[in-house]
Amino acid sequence: MGTKGSELTAVAVSFLILSWLTIALRLYVRTRVKKFFGVDDILALLSLFVFTTICGLIIAGVKAGMGTHFADLSLESYSRGSKLFFLCELLYVLVTALVKVSICITLLRIAVERPQVYTLYAIIVLTTLFSIFYFFFILFLCRPTSFFWEQVLGATDGSCLPGNAITSATYAHGIFIVMVDLTLGTFPIFLVRKLKLNYRSKVSVALILAFGSIASVATIARLPNVQSLANRTDFLYANAPLGLSSAVEIGISICASSAATLRPLLIQFRIF
């Protein structure tokens, strides 16, 4: 009997602890060192709460059968596991949007040229709109929504979109997120070039700001697992790698997006 549940739980718990630690340091710097608490900090805190909920759902999902073969589960467990996975996917869309918008607002504080400001606002608007579209696409993937996890119990009064529809939409969302990350990753180069700092300081500041987009690596690694969403015969087992890579991506995103706010601590410990 093969299962990937223990891997899912270990990854979720590990990145949840790391995320809480990073956000705690961020809040310390903002409230005790900088004496400033902005909208980006609120969004970062919200993203942590959403990620915490996702990890809770993953742990509950593993107990229900997430990461376990269909043949080794009761129909009730499989249905519950499918429901919890479905909720995780919805919250994944929300938390990725929160993190990207938080990074944009952080960069807006040092953006001085109009093209830079307009670009960041454009990213915020596009990310919000695309995330809303994808969120409701998943929500209404099946009609009624509950048919997604109740069909295995014998429900017949409903229907779902074909598997290639959800994989295509998920690929589109993943590629969009990668493009946003790469854009935000190169953006600091243009932001710091006119700052009155020596070359070494400019490099350090640019690296810290760009570090917030390192999650694009995890997003790219997640994309090959998207095709498993079309697997309707062994859904919970086939999509365990997707759940795992999603937890890694979100955890890295939350931690990396706070890198810029931790600069006073990095300076204090002579890291930069």
Side-chain angles (χ1 to χ4, degrees):
M1 180 177 69
T3 177
K4 299 178 181 178
S6 57
E7 299 174 25
L8 269 172
T9 301
V11 169
V13 172
S14 299
F15 277 94
L16 182 61
I17 293 173
L18 189 60
S19 298
W20 271 93
L21 177 61
T22 304
I23 295 298
L25 291 174
R26 175 179 184 145
L27 295 180
Y28 171 79
V29 171
R30 289 296 199 181
T31 59
R32 302 296 296 273
V33 180
K34 290 293 187 179
K35 308 292 184 181
F36 176 80
F37 196 80
V39 176
D40 54 337
D41 301 306
I42 296 175
L43 294 177
L45 197 56
L46 287 175
S47 66
L48 177 64
F49 292 154
V50 176
F51 184 45
T52 302
T53 303
I54 291 175
C55 290
L57 291 173
I58 289 176
I59 294 172
V62 169
K63 293 181 179 179
M66 200 179 293
T68 303
H69 285 293
F70 175 76
D72 299 320
L73 296 171
S74 66
L75 295 182
E76 290 74 15
S77 293
Y78 189 85
S79 175
R80 176 172 170 76
S82 299
K83 180 179 181 179
L84 294 172
F85 184 92
F86 181 85
L87 295 174
C88 285
E89 280 296 296
L90 284 177
L91 293 179
Y92 166 82
V93 180
L94 176 60
V95 74
T96 51
L98 287 172
V99 172
K100 306 314 173 189
V101 174
S102 175
I103 294 174
C104 287
I105 294 176
T106 299
L107 294 176
L108 277 170
R109 291 208 181 94
I110 56 176
V112 293
E113 299 179 1
R114 285 189 177 182
Q116 297 172 353
V117 174
Y118 292 157
T119 300
L120 290 171
Y121 275 121
I123 293 175
I124 291 175
V125 172
L126 291 175
T127 300
T128 302
L129 293 177
F130 200 109
S131 298
I132 291 174
F133 163 77
Y134 185 55
F135 181 91
F136 283 104
F137 178 87
I138 295 177
L139 184 62
F140 297 115
L141 180 65
C142 295
R143 296 188 180 184
T145 301
S146 58
F147 187 71
F148 181 86
W149 57 85
E150 289 181 352
Q151 56 186 311
V152 71
L153 299 176
T156 57
D157 54 339
S159 62
C160 295
L161 293 175
N164 62 337
I166 180 62
T167 54
S168 297
T170 305
Y171 275 126
H173 178 262
I175 293 172
F176 174 78
I177 292 300
V178 170
M179 292 175 61
V180 169
D181 282 338
L182 294 178
T183 301
L184 295 177
T186 56
F187 212 79
I189 298 175
F190 303 98
L191 288 177
V192 303
R193 62 181 180 178
K194 292 187 177 181
L195 294 180
K196 296 181 179 179
L197 299 171
N198 59 49
Y199 178 78
R200 183 178 177 183
S201 297
K202 285 185 177 182
V203 171
S204 66
V205 172
L207 286 175
I208 293 174
L209 292 174
F211 189 68
S213 298
I214 197 175
S216 60
V217 177
T219 307
I220 294 172
R222 178 181 182 268
L223 289 177
N225 298 317
V226 169
Q227 60 184 353
S228 60
L229 287 170
N231 188 321
R232 299 293 175 87
T233 58
D234 203 2
F235 184 82
L236 294 181
Y237 182 83
N239 283 281
L242 180 64
L244 190 149
S245 58
S246 297
V248 172
E249 177 191 347
I250 299 169
I252 292 178
S253 296
I254 292 175
C255 295
S257 64
S258 296
T261 63
L262 301 182
R263 188 167 180 266
L265 286 182
L266 298 177
I267 293 175
Q268 181 178 343
F269 289 101
R270 299 183 183 278
I271 298 176
F272 282 100

